[in-house]
């Protein structure tokens, strides 16, 4: 039975093969009947326990602190620190692996990464988890499919077409390679082939391309592994591969795109956005942003870095669209803004549109209406669905002169309701991305000045931190809902309370930072939050965002990815999720106390 011990269960996955065998050789199994003490109160711990079956209660005096289930480990605190104030009782018939104290302590002493699990606080544990996942995810990168990479769409020439025609077509479709059809044969011709023909061989530009095409092409299938594509390029010394789906050629894979995928090169996507000359070009780039995000996640890049890269690429995309469709007067007298998670720089997967336009002054109605429809319609064609709350450029409420916005601000503060509070949050989180960015800066300054000293407004604004319950019980158990398939909502129960609580404190202080993590750091600098707690809050926030991102990647199209099923998480992830939600719970109490929400 000890051979069945799951060595992949954290933190035991950090042991070397030799250490794992040492552990297995020392394992014993204990049976405990309902109500039996596994570790008595104030009794010295002589072993480390891992639950196989059943439920274990952790108690302090008469209080039930936590319920432990299969794969949970206890009591490392007593083992490492030689002090135990809690008792552990079998709630029902329970089986546990028993790791002798001397064996556990020797492993802790010999393996720093294994030891880190027992000694460190949540912020450090989360850093350790991210470090562990990096190696795992990079290994899976090479097992991605070719279909996940960017290909150049197939464009064909006849072998009799001229060098000049090929050059024009390459320029028109922004591609450096074309297929050449010569009867039954299919070849490829590249920009380098054309350059060598004309410059080095002095061939006329009317020469047929069939004379320079390479008909010895190497193909790869959409379902082949990226590692196979890389191997073929290396083996045959090819800079590009034809992509063939079994019936026809569907694209050309360039080495720079494959290497960009492996390296997570956002600069390539950014360059495509900057060079785009049509809405179709931007639509292709928009699809690449999601692929880029998936590649970065596979590499173990931290969620805050992924969010920053994705937000930057999305902002570039919207800014380029603005340049394409906005008339000259709007480009100079208007300010395009993004809001919500996009404004805070915390967006990962593409969500609905959250954008607006601030105008310096009135604009002719037909001109403005045409732009509104073309801009929002363009984004919709790129895969950004309309905002359910209609918070988008197409809505006149969110695309109007700055004077009208200022009038709205005064009304929201004087006559606040839930909608007013939401609108203040939207503007406070906004980020200018194109046009006259000073318009948003001036509007935010005015908003902050209007709110300064309005304590009653701030108190009611902060109350939304209690809009949803934190899904953690009195016994440190994760609370799920049967209606959602025994899942809990990460956004409602964890992410939103942090975002809004931090936003409320930052607004009170008049901070100009937009991202949640930078607001937390500033609040620590000002002494509003303790530095140690601020660090834990930031790490808990990032961990919740990471779980949400993984849920979004795994979810089917149209799913939010905010629901997580604890049963599908590893033991370490469940442990850290409980820790993170306890931090959320503590933070909500801090916000309640700060704004004296109990009095209202």
């Amino acid at each position: 039975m000890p051979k069945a011990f799951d060595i992949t269960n954290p933190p035991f996955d950090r042991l070397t093969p030799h250490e794992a065998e040492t552990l297995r050789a020392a394992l014993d199994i204990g049976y405990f009947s309902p109500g039996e003490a596994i570790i008595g109160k104030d009794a010295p711990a002589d072993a480390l326990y891992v639950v196989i079956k059943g439920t274990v209660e952790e108690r302090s005096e008469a209080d039930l602190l936590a319920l432990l289930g299969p794969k949970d480990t206890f009591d490392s605190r007593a083992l490492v620190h030689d002090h135990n104030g809690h008792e552990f009782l079998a709630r029902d018939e329970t089986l546990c692996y028993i790791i002798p104290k001397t064996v556990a302590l020797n492993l802790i002493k010999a393996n720093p990464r294994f030891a880190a699990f027992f000694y460190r606080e949540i912020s450090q544990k989360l850093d350790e988890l991210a470090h562990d996942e990096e190696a795992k995810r990079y290994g899976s990168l090479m097992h991605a499919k070719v279909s996940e990479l960017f290909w150049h769409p197939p464009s064909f020439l006849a072998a009799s077409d001229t060098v000049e025609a090929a050059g024009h077509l390459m320029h028109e479709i922004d591609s450096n390679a074309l297929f050449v059809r010569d009867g039954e044969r299919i070849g490829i011709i590249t920009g380098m082939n054309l350059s060598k023909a004309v410059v080095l061989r002095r061939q006329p530009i009317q020469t047929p391309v069939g004379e320079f095409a390479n008909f010895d092409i190497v193909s790869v299938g959409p379902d082949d592994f990226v590692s196979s594509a890389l191997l073929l390029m290396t083996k045959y010394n090819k800079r590009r591969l034809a992509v063939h789906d079994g019936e026809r050629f569907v694209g050309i894979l360039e080495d720079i795109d494959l290497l960009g995928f492996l390296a997570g090169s956002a600069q390539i996507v950014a360059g495509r956005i900057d060079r785009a000359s049509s809405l179709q070009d931007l639509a292709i780039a928009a699809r690449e942003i999601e692929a880029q995000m998936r590649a970065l996640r596979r590499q173990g890049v931290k969620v805050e870095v992924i969010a920053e890269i994705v937000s930057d690429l999305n902002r570039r995309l919207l800014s380029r669209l603005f340049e394409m469709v906005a008339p000259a007067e709007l480009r100079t007298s208007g300010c395009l803004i993004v809001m919500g998670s996009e404004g805070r720089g915390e967006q990962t997967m593409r969500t609905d549109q959250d954008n607006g336009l601030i105008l310096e002054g009135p604009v002719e109605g037909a001109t403005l209406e045409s732009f509104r429809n073309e801009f929002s319609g363009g984004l919709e064609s790129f895969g950004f669905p309309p905002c359910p709350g209609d918070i988008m450029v197409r809505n006149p409420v969110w695309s109007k002169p700055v004077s009208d916005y200022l009038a709205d601000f005064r009304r929201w503060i004087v006559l606040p309701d839930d909608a007013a509070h939401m609108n203040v949050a939207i503007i406070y989180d906004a980020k200018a991305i194109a046009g006259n960015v000073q318009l948003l800066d001036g509007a935010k300054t005015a908003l902050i000045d209007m709110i300064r000293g309005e304590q009653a407004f701030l108190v009611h604004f902060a109350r939304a931190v209690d809009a949803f319950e934190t899904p953690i019980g009195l016994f440190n158990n994760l609370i799920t809902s049967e209606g959602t398939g025994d899942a809990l909502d990460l956004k409602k129960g964890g992410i939103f309370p942090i975002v809004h609580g931090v936003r409320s404190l930052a607004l009170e202080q008049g901070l100009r930072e937009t991202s949640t993590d930078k607001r937390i750091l500033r609040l620590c600098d000002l002494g509003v939050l303790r530095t140690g707690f601020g660090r834990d809050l930031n790490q808990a926030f990032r961990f919740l965002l990471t779980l949400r991102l993984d849920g979004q990647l795994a979810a089917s199209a149209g799913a939010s990815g905010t629901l997580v099923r604890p049963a599908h998480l590893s033991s370490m992830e469940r442990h850290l999720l409980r820790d993170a939600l306890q931090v959320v719970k503590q933070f909500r109490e801090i916000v309640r106390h700060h704004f004296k929400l109990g009095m209202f």
Side-chain angles (χ1 to χ4, degrees):
M1 183 86 175
K3 289 293 182 183
F5 182 82
D6 184 5
I7 206 67
T8 65
N9 179 32
F12 304 103
D13 58 344
R14 302 179 180 194
L15 298 176
T16 66
H18 176 71
E19 290 167 343
E21 285 307 309
T22 299
L23 173 65
R24 283 196 174 104
L27 281 176
D28 197 358
I29 294 176
Y31 166 81
F32 304 93
S33 58
E36 182 178 352
I38 302 174
I39 300 178
K41 185 178 183 304
D42 294 325
D46 56 0
L48 189 66
Y49 297 85
V50 182
V51 181
I52 301 173
K53 177 184 177 182
T55 305
V56 175
E57 298 179 355
E58 180 180 0
R59 288 185 171 274
S60 175
E61 300 297 340
D63 295 329
L64 178 59
L65 301 178
L67 294 175
L68 307 177
K71 294 193 176 183
D72 285 334
T73 302
F74 67 97
D75 179 32
S76 58
R77 177 179 56 254
L79 196 73
V80 171
H81 301 291
D82 201 26
H83 171 73
N84 176 43
H86 299 168
E87 63 177 340
F88 293 81
L89 305 175
R91 169 171 278 205
D92 42 31
E93 290 189 337
T94 300
L95 287 177
C96 291
Y97 286 116
I98 303 173
I99 304 170
K101 179 177 181 177
T102 54
V103 174
L105 290 179
N106 286 339
L107 292 173
I108 289 170
K109 183 177 179 180
N111 188 323
R113 291 180 62 249
F114 181 64
F117 175 83
F118 301 101
Y119 285 102
R120 297 186 175 179
E121 299 302 319
I122 179 174
S123 57
Q124 293 165 306
K125 287 181 182 178
L126 288 167
D127 280 339
E128 285 287 333
L129 179 66
H131 182 270
D132 287 348
E133 286 187 337
E134 184 174 351
K136 295 178 184 176
R137 292 184 185 279
Y138 188 78
S140 69
L141 183 63
M142 295 296 285
H143 294 288
K145 298 295 183 66
V146 169
S147 58
E148 298 179 47
L149 278 64
F150 170 79
W151 318 325
H152 292 273
S155 292
F156 287 83
L157 288 170
S160 58
D161 286 333
T162 65
V163 168
E164 180 182 22
H168 283 301
L169 181 56
M170 286 181 184
H171 176 73
E172 180 182 332
I173 66 173
D174 190 25
S175 177
N176 193 46
L178 304 169
F179 284 111
V180 176
R181 196 187 303 275
D182 183 21
E184 296 297 318
R185 295 194 305 165
I186 299 292
I188 290 178
I189 191 163
T190 69
M192 183 61 72
N193 296 145
L194 300 183
S195 298
K196 287 182 177 179
V198 174
V199 176
L200 298 182
R201 297 169 59 181
R202 304 289 184 179
Q203 296 293 315
I205 61 174
Q206 298 303 316
T207 305
V209 294
E211 296 185 20
F212 314 115
N214 176 15
F215 291 95
D216 181 25
I217 62 177
V218 178
S219 298
V220 67
D223 291 329
D224 289 342
F225 290 124
V226 167
S227 55
S228 299
L230 186 61
L231 180 62
L232 288 173
M233 283 186 175
T234 304
K235 181 178 180 179
Y236 294 104
N237 193 28
K238 296 289 185 181
R239 295 191 58 190
R240 56 193 54 82
L241 301 173
V243 184
H244 196 281
D245 67 0
E247 297 182 0
R248 56 193 174 86
F249 289 102
V250 294
I252 296 175
L253 174 63
E254 300 267 4
D255 57 354
I256 190 171
D257 296 307
L258 187 149
L259 294 174
F261 176 82
L262 294 175
S265 180
Q267 295 92 330
I268 295 175
V269 182
R272 287 202 174 99
I273 293 172
D274 294 341
R275 294 192 305 271
S277 59
S278 67
L279 296 185
Q280 183 179 7
D281 291 342
L282 287 181
I284 293 172
R287 291 195 295 272
E288 292 176 29
I289 293 174
E290 183 171 328
Q292 185 65 212
M293 183 270 300
R294 290 178 181 274
L296 291 169
R297 183 62 186 134
R298 283 196 187 92
Q299 290 176 308
V301 176
K302 292 183 178 180
V303 69
E304 63 271 22
V305 178
I306 295 176
E308 187 175 348
I309 291 172
V310 170
S311 293
D312 179 69
L313 292 175
N314 281 334
R315 290 169 184 174
R316 282 175 180 262
L317 185 77
L318 269 66
S319 178
R320 188 75 183 101
L321 176 62
F322 183 73
E323 292 173 5
M324 284 185 180
V325 303
E329 61 179 306
L330 286 186
R331 293 200 300 272
T332 56
S333 66
C335 174
L336 182 66
I337 62 176
V338 289
M339 299 171 279
S341 59
E342 188 73 63
R344 296 190 305 275
E346 294 161 4
Q347 187 181 51
T348 48
M349 295 290 285
R350 183 181 307 154
T351 54
D352 54 16
Q353 299 182 39
D354 274 315
N355 47 64
L357 182 69
I358 303 175
L359 300 170
E360 191 173 4
V363 173
E364 196 272 324
T367 300
L368 183 56
E369 187 63 21
S370 175
F371 164 73
R372 286 168 174 162
N373 291 328
E374 195 168 357
F375 182 83
S376 295
L379 285 179
E380 194 169 348
S381 71
F382 300 163
F384 292 85
C387 173
D390 211 19
I391 303 168
M392 49 199 293
V393 163
R394 189 164 60 195
N395 183 354
V397 172
W398 293 102
S399 57
K400 59 190 178 186
V402 65
S403 58
D404 291 349
Y405 278 104
L406 296 181
D408 284 343
F409 297 170
R410 285 188 285 270
R411 187 176 66 255
W412 296 341
I413 296 167
V414 173
L415 300 171
D417 55 18
D418 288 345
H421 293 148
M422 182 183 72
N423 291 338
V424 167
I426 288 169
I427 288 293
Y428 187 52
D429 288 352
K431 182 80 172 178
I433 60 171
N436 182 0
V437 298
Q438 297 303 318
L439 289 172
L440 176 62
D441 187 61
K444 274 196 179 185
T445 298
L447 177 65
I448 291 170
D449 287 343
M450 290 179 196
I451 291 175
R452 186 172 287 113
E454 294 287 344
Q455 199 61 27
F457 174 86
L458 287 166
V459 169
H460 287 285
F461 180 80
R463 286 183 64 184
V465 78
D466 283 332
F468 310 104
E469 290 293 329
T470 304
I472 188 84
L474 291 174
F475 310 138
N476 206 33
N477 56 308
L478 298 171
I479 300 175
T480 60
S481 170
E482 293 183 7
T484 57
D486 288 327
L488 56 85
D489 194 313
L490 291 172
K491 182 176 181 180
K492 291 180 179 179
I495 295 171
F496 175 78
I498 295 177
V499 169
H500 189 69
V502 169
R503 177 166 51 211
S504 300
L505 294 169
L507 183 58
E508 180 189 43
Q509 298 296 322
L511 303 185
R512 300 303 297 266
E513 288 79 7
T514 54
S515 68
T516 301
D517 60 347
K518 287 185 173 62
R519 286 172 177 172
I520 291 173
L521 291 175
R522 289 283 287 119
L523 290 170
C524 290
D525 290 341
L526 294 171
V528 179
L529 294 176
R530 289 185 294 103
T531 301
F533 180 76
R535 182 173 59 249
D536 283 352
L537 184 63
N538 234 334
Q539 289 287 15
F541 180 58
R542 290 170 179 173
F543 179 66
L544 294 171
L545 290 179
T546 301
L547 287 184
R548 185 185 67 172
L549 172 57
D550 289 342
Q552 289 171 329
L553 290 173
S556 58
S560 68
T562 64
L563 295 178
V564 63
R565 290 170 176 80
H568 294 175
L569 301 177
S570 69
S571 176
M572 171 69 90
E573 287 172 328
R574 286 196 303 273
H575 171 80
L576 289 173
L577 178 56
R578 285 193 289 263
D579 281 354
L581 291 177
Q582 286 291 359
V583 171
V584 174
K585 201 170 183 179
Q586 186 179 350
F587 179 57
R588 286 175 58 181
E589 287 302 320
I590 290 172
V591 174
R592 287 193 194 104
H593 177 74
H594 182 90
F595 288 104
K596 298 179 174 59
L597 299 184
M599 298 175 62
F600 293 85

